[in-house]
Amino acid sequence: MTTTQLNRKLGSAPIRRNLDPADRGKWKRFWLLIAIAAVALVPIAGTFVLSLRGNNGTGDFTLENFVHVIVDTQVVAWLLNSLQVTLATVVVSVLVAAPAGYVLSRGRSRLVEGYSLLLFVIQSLPVITSVIPLFILFSGMGLADNLIGITVLYVGSSMSVATWMMASYMDGIPGSLEEASWIDGASVFGSFWHIVLRNSLPGILSTAIFTFLMAWNDYLVASIFLRSSGTFTLPIGVQTFFQQHSTDWGSVMAVAVIMMLPPALVFATMNKYFSVGGVAGSLAGR
Amino acid sequence: MAVLIAPSVILLLLTNAYPIVYAAFQSVHDGSLINAGDFVGLDNFARVLSGEAFWKAAGFTLVFTITGVFGSWLAGLGIALVLQQKVPARGLIKTLLLLPWVVPVVVSSTSWNWLLSTDSSPIPTLFRSLGLGEVRFLSDPFLAQVTVCLFIVWLNFPFMMLMMSAALTSVDESVYEAAKIDGASPRQQFMYMTLPIIAKPTYISWVLMTIFCVNEFPAIYLLTHGGPVGSTSTLVVLAYRTVFQNFQTGPGVAIAFIMTIALATVATFLFRQIRKSRVE
């Protein structure tokens, strides 16, 4: 930092704060946004408050709802099912989408273009159309009501967006990097693995977060495929719970809070890697 | 190259292409979930298209989609514009505002149900104490429609906020400096500069959101189950109920198939449009 820059930084800041109208408005904007957030977050805040409120009528804050659902119900088993399915979906999605995205990014043939269009069209179709035939197919293969079966379905339904996100990220990696490695004798697969994938970490994380949310939050597919409580994921488990204990809001909300934690945690730690713009950018750029 | 894309192609064929072909087959048969039944030609389609439920659901799908797309866009763009300027704790506020989109819909629909569903729920109680009378958000057909539309806007405005924020950051600040010197009002700056600059990301976000809204299932089903008296049934909810509650596989798949054909046509057209705008 030069002396001039330092002087400017030290000297002018307090003066500008008083004079610049843009600065005067910033607290107004702050309170406006806080008001919007406060209204928008009422349902979520209500969930937390109810989950912590005792059922003894005193309204005291307690963890008894959490203890109850963890000890007396199948919530922990459902949580583990959800975690297992979601993590498997994330890993397999990235493993499938990264190489496919590479082909979409580098390939310039009509076939590749057509595949890109096909992915877009498939993505727009209602899941309900494919769910019924798949239910029949998977029943025959013993994959309905099965955690592996549902993982395959999640990978299938997140594949289009995941592939675009990877392709769009890889568009930003200069092709000269691989060309150099080809000259050194690397294969297409080798240079993809060692050069491109290593440079795609932010793209991979963004794709992973997207598929994580999709798999963790899914209700439709799980509600049709998962039939026995041993295979339930949390969204399905909490629904049966809701129907049986409709007056026991404390317990229902405790499960809801447990269900919110993993995505909230993922966002709190990896927010900076996630860009929904990537979804749009991949559409716009391809 | 072929090895790299093979897993993706196999998955696409298994989880998307095969089911669509089979669904086409089912839509012209009178079978159940397990048994395909006899070939009935276009009977299922005729039955569906001549029924009142289909057109009612199609109408609500249209209303729901239009409100969903433009409601969440306006809210998301508005917030993105404010966030674009200097705001204390901007990152934290942005993360908080993302929550409706991040929280599983099973959770948020439960919260909304708790807030609205019965006469003793917090919001009806609040309305009563404000002297607005008994408001039955989920049991009055019209109010249930309004509530479901509000819910989809609430669920999706954070997504729009992210899309629009990304679009606005790409706008070059110096353009505004120049406009200010030329005496353009904030409204003029917005209408003639900001909007045209973010036009393309906006168009793409509309396309994506339209597809999301037309296909939305859990947000509606978990809040109202499509009721009361079918008032909040969209085509997807109607197809689901036809197959899994009335066990009429043929007509249910026919509804889904009509949607599939319509969406595939629209999607192909929109994809071409996006492609074209890239070349120019």
Side-chain angles (χ1 to χ4, degrees):
Chain A
M1 199 177 274
T2 65
T3 333
T4 348
Q5 277 174 327
L6 198 66
N7 281 341
R8 201 184 300 148
K9 208 174 167 118
L10 292 173
S12 64
I15 304 164
R16 273 185 54 208
R17 193 176 297 152
N18 292 330
L19 294 181
D20 192 346
D23 262 11
R24 239 183 294 150
K26 78 178 183 182
W27 288 105
K28 220 185 265 175
R29 288 191 287 273
F30 174 76
W31 289 113
L32 173 72
L33 288 173
I34 291 290
I36 294 171
V39 174
L41 296 183
V42 163
I44 295 165
T47 305
F48 274 96
V49 172
L50 284 188
S51 73
L52 290 166
R53 204 163 66 180
N55 288 322
N56 52 11
T58 58
D60 290 341
F61 283 86
T62 155
L63 290 175
E64 72 181 45
N65 294 319
F66 288 92
V67 174
H68 164 66
V69 297
I70 288 169
V71 174
D72 305 330
T73 72
Q74 284 179 281
V75 161
V76 175
W78 297 334
L79 176 72
L80 292 176
N81 284 348
S82 267
L83 283 173
Q84 196 180 323
V85 167
T86 305
L87 292 179
T89 302
V90 169
V91 171
V92 179
S93 287
V94 170
L95 286 177
V96 172
Y102 178 65
V103 175
L104 287 199
S105 170
R106 300 297 194 257
R108 286 285 165 265
S109 70
R110 285 226 145 237
L111 213 60
V112 171
E113 293 264 308
Y115 196 67
S116 189
L117 167 68
L118 193 66
L119 285 178
F120 182 75
V121 172
I122 293 273
Q123 185 65 40
S124 9
L125 302 182
V127 179
I128 190 97
T129 321
S130 39
V131 154
I132 303 157
L134 281 171
F135 184 73
I136 298 166
L137 175 72
F138 276 32
S139 299
M141 298 162 74
L143 285 175
D145 198 14
N146 178 306
L147 295 181
I148 296 174
I150 208 156
T151 305
V152 173
L153 294 178
Y154 288 165
V155 176
S157 59
S158 68
M159 194 180 64
S160 307
V161 178
T163 306
W164 281 333
M165 287 177 91
M166 288 311 305
S168 141
Y169 192 82
M170 286 167 178
D171 283 344
I173 300 173
S176 53
L177 280 179
E178 300 130 78
E179 279 154 23
S181 78
W182 291 341
I183 293 167
D184 292 344
S187 64
V188 170
F189 186 76
S191 67
F192 162 72
W193 189 256
H194 293 292
I195 311 281
V196 179
L197 218 50
R198 188 171 293 172
N199 285 299
S200 302
L201 195 63
I204 291 173
L205 284 175
S206 201
T207 310
I209 295 170
F210 187 87
T211 38
F212 180 95
L213 284 184
M214 195 283 305
W216 186 264
N217 295 352
D218 168 73
Y219 172 78
L220 175 59
V221 173
S223 78
I224 291 168
F225 278 77
L226 303 179
R227 297 278 155 179
S228 46
S229 66
T231 60
F232 281 175
T233 51
L234 267 181
I236 308 308
V238 75
Q239 275 308 107
T240 60
F241 201 83
F242 185 56
Q243 283 145 14
Q244 284 162 16
H245 313 259
S246 55
T247 46
D248 184 8
W249 283 107
S251 302
V252 170
M253 294 309 196
V255 186
V257 169
I258 293 172
M259 210 168 137
M260 270 194 261
L261 289 180
L265 222 66
V266 164
F267 255 80
T269 51
M270 309 223 277
N271 202 357
K272 64 177 171 195
Y273 295 109
F274 184 68
S275 87
V276 86
V279 185
S282 47
L283 256 176
R286 337 226 73 254
Chain B
M1 285 292 206
V3 180
L4 293 173
I5 206 165
S8 166
V9 175
I10 292 167
L11 253 166
L12 185 88
L13 291 175
L14 171 72
T15 62
N16 295 295
Y18 157 78
I20 289 167
V21 174
Y22 193 87
F25 172 81
Q26 272 184 319
S27 70
V28 290
H29 287 76
D30 69 350
S32 62
L33 265 180
I34 316 126
N35 189 335
D38 297 325
F39 178 76
V40 291
L42 295 176
D43 276 10
N44 290 325
F45 290 91
R47 235 171 98 188
V48 163
L49 288 172
S50 62
E52 196 194 331
F54 177 86
W55 297 105
K56 203 175 160 188
F60 184 63
T61 307
L62 196 69
V63 172
F64 174 79
T65 303
I66 291 172
T67 348
V69 173
F70 293 106
S72 61
W73 177 67
L74 287 173
L77 176 61
I79 295 170
L81 282 169
V82 179
L83 278 169
Q84 192 61 14
Q85 295 166 291
K86 264 189 210 154
V87 180
R90 175 160 60 181
L92 181 70
I93 293 176
K94 208 169 170 180
T95 310
L96 282 177
L97 284 170
L98 266 180
L99 283 176
W101 190 65
V102 172
V103 163
V105 67
V106 171
V107 170
S108 41
S109 64
T110 306
S111 312
W112 275 60
N113 257 308
W114 163 72
L115 278 170
L116 296 168
S117 58
T118 65
D119 285 345
S120 55
S121 301
I123 300 213
T125 308
L126 178 75
F127 270 59
R128 211 178 303 125
S129 64
L130 290 172
L132 295 169
E134 296 294 331
V135 186
R136 296 195 163 78
F137 289 96
L138 297 180
S139 51
D140 174 87
F142 176 70
L143 281 178
Q145 291 184 332
V146 174
T147 308
V148 166
C149 288
L150 274 176
F151 187 48
I152 196 73
V153 171
W154 181 84
L155 280 174
N156 285 325
F157 85 85
F159 179 85
M160 284 298 201
M161 175 186 85
L162 283 180
M163 295 272 282
M164 291 298 108
S165 285
L168 287 170
T169 46
S170 67
V171 177
D172 186 3
E173 280 299 318
S174 62
V175 182
Y176 288 100
E177 301 293 329
K180 262 182 231 163
I181 293 167
D182 290 346
S185 71
R187 200 190 71 90
Q188 283 172 323
Q189 286 177 36
F190 178 74
M191 293 299 289
Y192 300 113
M193 301 174 61
T194 310
L195 272 187
I197 294 171
I198 63 166
K200 198 174 156 195
T202 297
Y203 176 67
I204 292 166
S205 71
W206 287 351
V207 171
L208 285 178
M209 195 52 73
T210 304
I211 292 166
F212 292 165
C213 287
V214 173
N215 289 329
E216 182 60 61
F217 174 76
I220 302 168
Y221 190 74
L222 293 171
L223 197 60
T224 65
H225 288 266
V229 287
S231 59
T232 59
S233 280
T234 55
L235 287 171
V236 174
V237 175
L238 184 68
Y240 178 91
R241 293 177 65 140
T242 311
V243 174
F244 293 101
Q245 283 169 10
N246 306 339
F247 305 106
Q248 300 174 316
T249 312
V253 176
I255 296 169
F257 216 73
I258 294 168
M259 286 185 68
T260 302
I261 294 163
L263 276 170
T265 315
V266 174
T268 312
F269 171 76
L270 294 173
F271 185 82
R272 294 255 154 82
Q273 291 295 110
I274 293 170
R275 275 298 174 91
K276 230 186 274 171
S277 66
R278 167 201 177 191
V279 180
E280 279 156 15

